[in-house]
Amino acid sequence: MKSFDRRLQKDLFPKTPAAFRETVSRSIGSVCGQAAPSDNTVVRFPTTENDAKPARKKTNLFTRIGTVAVAAVLVISLLAVGTIAVLARRTTTNPAASANEQPESTGENVVVSDPTEPPKASAEPETVNTVYAATADEFLAAIAPDTEIILTRETYNLTTASDYGADGGQYYTWKAVEDGYELVLHDLDNFRLIGSENTQILTDPRDAAVIRVGNCTDITFMNFTAGHKLLPYVLCSGPVLELSDCTNTRIENCGLFGCGRVGVSASGCSGLSVVGCDIYECSNEGIDLFECRNVVIDACKLRDCGLRKLSDDVEPYGASDMVFIGECEHIIISDCDVYGNKACSVIGCAGSKDVILYGMLVYDNTLDDVISIEDAEMTVFGCEFRHSGDFLYKTSYPYTILDQFGNEIGETELREMQLERDPYAS
Amino acid sequence: MNKARTDAWFSREIESMSDTLFRVAFSILRNYADCEDAVQSAILKAYQNLDTLKERAYFRTWAVRILKNECFALLRKQRTIVPLSEQTDVNYEMEVPDLDLNRAFDVLSPEERLTITLYYYEGYKTAEIAKLTDVSDSTVRNRLSRARAALKEQLTKRSVFDEVL
């Protein structure tokens, strides 16, 4: 499953035949009487995202809860037959508290283990080396397992690193993209990157993820803002944070801004939590989860996405879904505010199960519909969707939307639903 | 801008998107010779209508749109003279990286194949694909989802079939 998209991206087409290229050259020659000129004779026009995009990979999200929380909600739903009022209250409590007894956002790396994975030895003391980094170079030099990096300055532009585009270090590399390089953290275990309120991590290339993380375990990103350096009339094709094949990742109190195509893009991840983050001005999606499990998105803002324009006289394209959930299971999205976006849907959910949505406040958006669902099962309760158009976009594929008691609901119930926030939310 | 400079720019842009042109045409037509015809025709049309392009930043999308139209025009023409079963026969003498995947790809409709190609290979967003192919964003997402499901189904069938054999 995980490799399907990659297989699709890599192996579908033969290499462009040389004869085809010759045909193109001949055609050009016949219409404008010359072959492609060399670089120094070409007038370069401003490029946009449309001009040079890398193949896009569907990706996704973050973690924390999972099966246990889902099971808890379902059990509570069954019990609720006779005691609706009491149990309704219980089901709207924080999933972490009600299901897993996990502590709230304390600044510690508390992530819920994937129930299918063996627990860590709790007696083993955790040794973390704390490093204070004042420059991008110091930050990069400190990347290592069992390390906590405290960013002490306001701005870290990764493009200015002295080894930018070079081989990198033992746990990071610079991956070439269309217009530069992106930072890739890999094979890290127990790593924390912590900023202050004003810390910004920036990168210049439009096609680069600001930070890409692959094959890592127990990673925490906290208290910083990250994005692509803003330029007028330019959309990015790279995400802000891209995670793939990671276990137990926590993104807390971060600002992830545009024009990153996606704020958080995660694929093949387990145990991801995105807590208290402000995701704004992204061009395509706020959060994109693909083939992820055990994910919690809690107390986040998703705002002002899909509004960037390529020129003054062109309407913004709009984003796709504010949160896309594809081929995932055990996903909880709770107590988030979604406003000021131009998008197709708030939630796009396909091929997924055990998706729970509660305490969501959705207002002042330009949307085609609120929930786009196909071949998926979703539980929705305690949400308020202030939207006058269609609520559901559905295909001929089967789908199920349930309330907290396990009753099937539809557009009418969604429209009449009222906000019920977790009183114990962080 | 004088003609020579415009020609130089046009040549450069078209050359730089050879791979894109090939993949878009091949995804729809699945036949190498037809791809050449469609691309030649598209390049000619693009050049002749360059004045109508308001913003050169959109050239690539615009060119892909022209090529897409040419491919579907060719496909429509073929449908009147070629048996349906032969329309999407890939010339597998070309070295394809994954034969099973390519055969599964044939099962999709041309519209689904184009959507998959634009999304996974060319990096277009669903909203952009919607504009480019004159359908709603929901339709694009629907096509993507359906196509993925169909491909998986085909690949599963093939692997089961291979095991039986």
Side-chain angles (χ1 to χ4, degrees):
Chain A
M1 269 291 263
K2 194 182 295 179
S3 63
F4 182 72
D5 267 32
R6 284 161 205 166
R7 185 178 176 188
L8 203 53
Q9 282 182 303
K10 283 181 181 170
D11 301 334
L12 193 53
F13 291 100
K15 283 180 72 173
T16 307
F20 182 87
R21 292 183 189 280
E22 285 168 17
T23 302
V24 171
S25 291
R26 273 202 310 276
S27 301
I28 294 169
S30 69
V31 296
C32 57
Q34 65 180 104
S38 59
D39 282 346
N40 58 7
T41 64
V42 172
V43 180
R44 296 301 297 167
F45 288 82
T47 56
T48 70
E49 185 184 22
N50 288 334
D51 289 333
K53 291 182 187 173
R56 186 195 146 160
K57 188 163 70 98
K58 260 298 178 195
T59 49
N60 304 347
L61 316 185
F62 250 65
T63 288
R64 198 175 74 184
I65 286 192
T67 310
V68 182
V70 176
V73 171
L74 293 177
V75 168
I76 289 169
S77 301
L78 289 172
L79 293 173
V81 172
T83 54
I84 290 174
V86 174
L87 293 178
R89 191 69 182 161
R90 290 181 64 182
T91 50
T92 53
T93 57
N94 187 314
S98 65
N100 279 8
E101 299 298 331
Q102 290 294 321
E104 278 308 301
S105 315
T106 60
E108 295 173 20
N109 190 11
V110 277
V111 287
V112 175
S113 298
D114 183 337
T116 63
E117 290 163 5
K120 285 183 169 181
S122 56
E124 194 176 306
E126 188 184 70
T127 310
V128 174
N129 178 31
T130 299
V131 178
Y132 293 87
T135 65
D137 283 344
E138 288 177 11
F139 156 47
L140 294 169
I143 295 171
D146 299 318
T147 299
E148 177 180 83
I149 299 176
I150 311 286
L151 301 172
T152 57
R153 293 286 171 87
E154 283 198 1
T155 303
Y156 296 75
N157 189 329
L158 300 176
T159 318
T160 64
S162 58
D163 73 341
Y164 178 71
D167 290 341
Q170 189 177 354
Y171 297 100
Y172 76 93
T173 53
W174 293 104
K175 183 187 169 206
V177 295
E178 190 86 24
D179 57 345
Y181 298 89
E182 67 183 7
L183 177 63
V184 182
L185 309 183
H186 60 85
D187 302 309
L188 285 167
D189 186 0
N190 195 18
F191 173 80
R192 301 172 196 167
L193 182 61
I194 301 172
S196 62
E197 194 178 339
N198 298 319
T199 301
Q200 276 200 326
I201 301 175
L202 303 174
T203 194
D204 290 352
R206 309 289 98 188
D207 293 318
V210 178
I211 300 178
R212 181 182 292 271
V213 186
N215 195 30
C216 293
T217 304
D218 291 335
I219 304 294
T220 298
F221 294 121
M222 193 186 292
N223 298 345
F224 60 78
T225 297
H228 294 85
K229 192 174 167 186
L230 289 175
L231 294 172
Y233 304 133
V234 173
L235 297 181
C236 296
S237 49
V240 182
L241 296 180
E242 170 116 36
L243 313 169
S244 55
D245 304 321
C246 291
T247 305
N248 292 349
T249 310
R250 184 175 180 87
I251 302 173
E252 181 174 331
N253 195 28
C254 287
L256 308 173
F257 70 94
C259 51
R261 181 174 58 81
V262 184
V264 178
S265 176
S267 63
C269 293
S270 171
L272 169 68
S273 60
V274 184
V275 179
C277 291
D278 187 8
I279 299 172
Y280 55 100
E281 296 175 4
C282 293
S283 55
N284 199 42
E285 283 159 336
I287 296 174
D288 187 321
L289 303 177
F290 188 71
E291 291 180 350
C292 290
R293 57 201 306 268
N294 300 345
V295 176
V296 169
I297 301 166
D298 183 47
C300 292
K301 286 180 193 163
L302 296 157
R303 61 180 177 90
D304 304 324
C305 294
L307 299 178
R308 286 185 71 82
K309 298 167 85 171
L310 287 173
S311 68
D312 275 337
D313 55 352
V314 176
E315 280 297 302
Y317 274 132
S320 294
D321 304 307
M322 294 317 303
V323 179
F324 176 79
I325 304 162
E327 312 284 338
C328 296
E329 58 182 4
H330 311 317
I331 310 293
I332 295 180
I333 305 173
S334 56
D335 294 345
C336 294
D337 288 349
V338 183
Y339 60 92
N341 304 289
K342 180 178 180 183
C344 294
S345 304
V346 174
I347 304 290
C349 186
S352 299
K353 59 186 179 182
D354 290 341
V355 176
I356 298 177
L357 206 63
Y358 75 90
M360 301 282 290
L361 178 58
V362 175
Y363 61 98
D364 288 346
N365 300 286
T366 304
L367 302 169
D368 291 348
D369 41 66
V370 177
I371 295 174
S372 169
I373 184 167
E374 61 184 41
D375 191 21
E377 177 196 306
M378 183 184 286
T379 300
V380 185
F381 60 96
C383 297
E384 188 166 319
F385 305 108
R386 296 175 194 163
H387 175 63
S388 55
D390 290 340
F391 263 56
L392 284 179
Y393 172 76
K394 55 210 183 223
T395 67
S396 56
Y397 285 82
Y399 72 94
T400 310
I401 300 179
L402 306 170
D403 65 9
Q404 70 269 46
F405 308 117
N407 301 317
E408 198 159 327
I409 58 173
E411 184 139 353
T412 307
E413 290 82 359
L414 289 171
R415 199 178 290 276
E416 291 171 353
M417 204 172 271
Q418 291 193 339
L419 186 67
E420 201 169 340
R421 280 266 158 94
D422 178 359
Y424 305 109
S426 52
Chain B
M1 183 170 300
N2 65 38
K3 184 175 179 305
R5 287 163 73 88
T6 301
D7 284 0
W9 171 79
F10 180 83
S11 306
R12 167 75 181 205
E13 290 296 309
I14 289 286
E15 285 271 3
S16 72
M17 57 187 297
S18 289
D19 290 338
T20 297
L21 296 175
F22 175 71
R23 286 193 291 257
V24 167
F26 195 66
S27 71
I28 299 170
L29 299 167
R30 309 298 282 161
N31 177 293
Y32 177 65
D34 289 343
C35 288
E36 287 197 321
D37 290 346
V39 166
Q40 283 181 38
S41 176
I43 290 173
L44 178 61
K45 281 199 175 164
Y47 184 75
Q48 287 172 337
N49 294 288
L50 205 50
D51 292 344
T52 65
L53 178 65
K54 288 178 186 167
E55 186 69 58
R56 293 203 171 185
Y58 293 109
F59 178 78
R60 293 175 83 94
T61 303
W62 181 72
V64 167
R65 193 185 173 93
I66 291 173
L67 177 59
K68 183 254 321 178
N69 290 339
E70 287 302 305
C71 289
F72 279 105
L74 194 59
L75 213 53
R76 277 194 296 275
K77 218 180 285 178
Q78 287 177 344
R79 276 184 179 144
T80 62
I81 53 173
V82 179
L84 190 67
S85 59
E86 293 174 20
Q87 278 174 23
T88 58
D89 273 356
V90 177
N91 176 5
Y92 286 122
E93 286 167 13
M94 293 174 71
E95 201 172 310
V96 291
D98 186 332
L99 193 59
D100 278 346
L101 185 61
N102 264 276
R103 290 193 190 283
F105 201 53
D106 283 345
V107 173
L108 306 181
S109 69
E111 290 82 4
E112 287 171 339
R113 290 198 299 262
L114 175 64
T115 306
I116 286 272
T117 304
L118 293 174
Y119 187 76
Y120 284 101
Y121 275 82
E122 307 307 331
Y124 285 98
K125 295 181 291 183
T126 55
E128 293 168 326
I129 297 171
K131 283 185 188 300
L132 207 153
T133 55
D134 300 315
V135 296
S136 72
D137 190 83
S138 296
T139 303
V140 172
R141 286 181 290 168
N142 191 10
R143 281 178 185 165
L144 279 175
S145 183
R146 232 174 18 207
R148 281 175 47 84
L151 284 173
K152 282 182 182 175
E153 190 183 341
Q154 285 297 316
L155 291 169
T156 308
K157 272 184 193 167
R158 280 179 196 287
S159 83
V160 170
F161 183 66
D162 290 345
E163 279 174 23
V164 170
L165 285 181

